[in-house]
Amino acid sequence: MVLKYHRPSGSRSYKDYSEESLKKAVVAVKSGIFRRKAAVEFGIPRATLNRAVEDKPLNKVGWPCVLSEEEQVRLAECVSLAGDWGFPLNMLDIRLIVKGFLDRSGRNKKRFKNNMPGVEFAMAFVQRYKSKLSNKLCQNVERSRAAVSEEIINSYFDELQGTLDGVDPAMIINYDETNMTDDPGRKKVVVRRGFRHPERIIDFSKSSTSVMFSGSADGIHLPPYITYKAENLYDTWTVSGPKGAFYNRSKSGWFTLEIFEDRFRKVALPYFKKFDKDATKVMIGDNLASHISPWIIEECKSHNIKFLLLPPNSTYYTQPLDVAFFRPLKIKWRQTFNDWKLKNRGCVPKDRFPRLLRQCLEALSEENVKNNLVSGFKATGIVPLDRQQVLKRLPKVTKNDDTNSEKDLNSSNAESDWVETFKSYLGDSRKKETQPTRKMKKKKLNVPAGRGVEGLGEIEAEDSTNDHCNNPQPCTSSA
């Protein structure tokens, strides 16, 4: 935080008075006391008292800021713009930007070493513009997800409008697969002051179980479909689970095409068969290849089910379960999981997983599940249909005629040129990689275990791959 220096009264020759004393002096003067007498009585300079009585602005105390008010406003706008584009700046970035600006404009500030501001300068700047800026922890976002634009979302909703026209919300379901991990996560604890690395003794592992959840737009939660990572499925792994749940297994632990077909046959079709066969139904999911097969397409045609795929890398914005269902579910899962860990040792066995998942869903309650599902469809603009629900969550790309502040940034003076360059750079960096990764051909080296191999230079390795790797002996060993 910014350091605040508290000087005792009388330690400086200027502004050695409080704001309360100044207000009292102004009231005294307006009540009839002479200004000279009021200035002496309250310890306020006569010039300052005169300006206060006449409602004139008082000059600021202390050194003037290195940047002018206009320059600070432009810097705050650019810092905000960088965050909107997915490239938020830290305190060091702000200091370097100010140094570059001072160097470019030919200004040498003696209070800064080599024109480099200190940490307190950046912290004070953020504090002055706390109505626009704040210092927060950020999360990482892949470039593929960051490349989702307004054009992609608008095109998606144009198609969605025709698909959902006249469809009952009860006949619109969303499905998604998630991992229920064997890790209770980090937790805040109370320890003695100065204890730098608190630890909690509790067993955990990196294993997880894949579960596919489904829900309708009117808040109906369909039975979950659980897939274990195993070669075989045992009866004890299917006991005391959520009502109506189905169980399966795969070598990877993820849903394969065969498992998804089985889930469609046992969960989705029975639900849709409750409605009129001629009524239009919609099933919304991501565009994974393991979720589409010729058999599913034929079944969808015969039961009047539309299979709606979400835009690639957009589930963070358009997947109802991702937006409003999974987060409260994972919170309850960790609470349930943590309670079990406190009473038991070791990792959760597969025969206990169904019971813990049932307890987690019961703790969430049917009413909360329904509300979360309805909120998810609303937040993704599906029911009711409203694309603005998604567009307002995208990074804001302002245009010249959008806001007055944007007009100020696009003014014709020379100082706004670097703002446009900054904006263009951020836009290009967000949507594409600056340099594609080159993939090199690789071949297995027949090297005995325990024997080291001397590395090849980059050019030598690229040009001599076939010559070296065709040799059954190791290239150059350092046994």
Side-chain angles (χ1 to χ4, degrees), residues 222-288:
L222 277 65
Y225 196 102
I226 302 168
T227 300
Y228 297 107
K229 183 178 181 181
E231 294 285 347
N232 303 296
L233 187 65
Y234 298 91
D235 57 349
T236 56
W237 298 0
T238 65
V239 179
S240 302
K243 183 179 179 181
F246 294 91
Y247 304 86
N248 212 323
R249 82 286 184 195
S250 68
K251 188 175 181 180
S252 64
W254 292 98
F255 275 68
T256 62
L257 183 60
E258 293 76 13
I259 294 179
F260 185 79
E261 287 182 350
D262 185 69
R263 178 257 167 201
F264 179 81
R265 182 185 300 108
K266 293 180 179 179
V267 178
L269 276 183
Y271 175 78
F272 284 133
K273 287 181 179 179
K274 298 178 182 179
F275 305 99
D276 184 7
K277 184 177 181 180
D278 297 329
T280 303
K281 301 100 176 171
V282 177
M283 191 165 62
I284 303 174
D286 51 33
N287 60 349
L288 290 178

Side-chain angles (χ1 to χ4, degrees), residues 67-82 89 93-102 104-105 107 125 408-427:
L67 302 177
S68 65
E69 187 69 24
E70 182 182 359
E71 291 169 347
Q72 293 184 65
V73 170
R74 293 185 181 280
L75 177 59
E77 293 288 348
C78 288
V79 173
S80 178
L81 179 67
L89 306 178
D93 295 330
I94 295 176
R95 295 165 58 197
L96 291 172
I97 289 175
V98 174
K99 171 179 169 54
F101 178 78
L102 295 176
R104 185 173 57 255
S105 59
R107 295 152 61 179
F125 168 76
D408 293 339
L409 284 176
N410 291 331
S411 59
S412 58
N413 57 53
E415 294 182 359
S416 65
D417 293 342
W418 68 279
V419 179
E420 290 296 331
T421 304
F422 196 62
K423 188 194 309 183
S424 176
Y425 165 76
L426 291 175

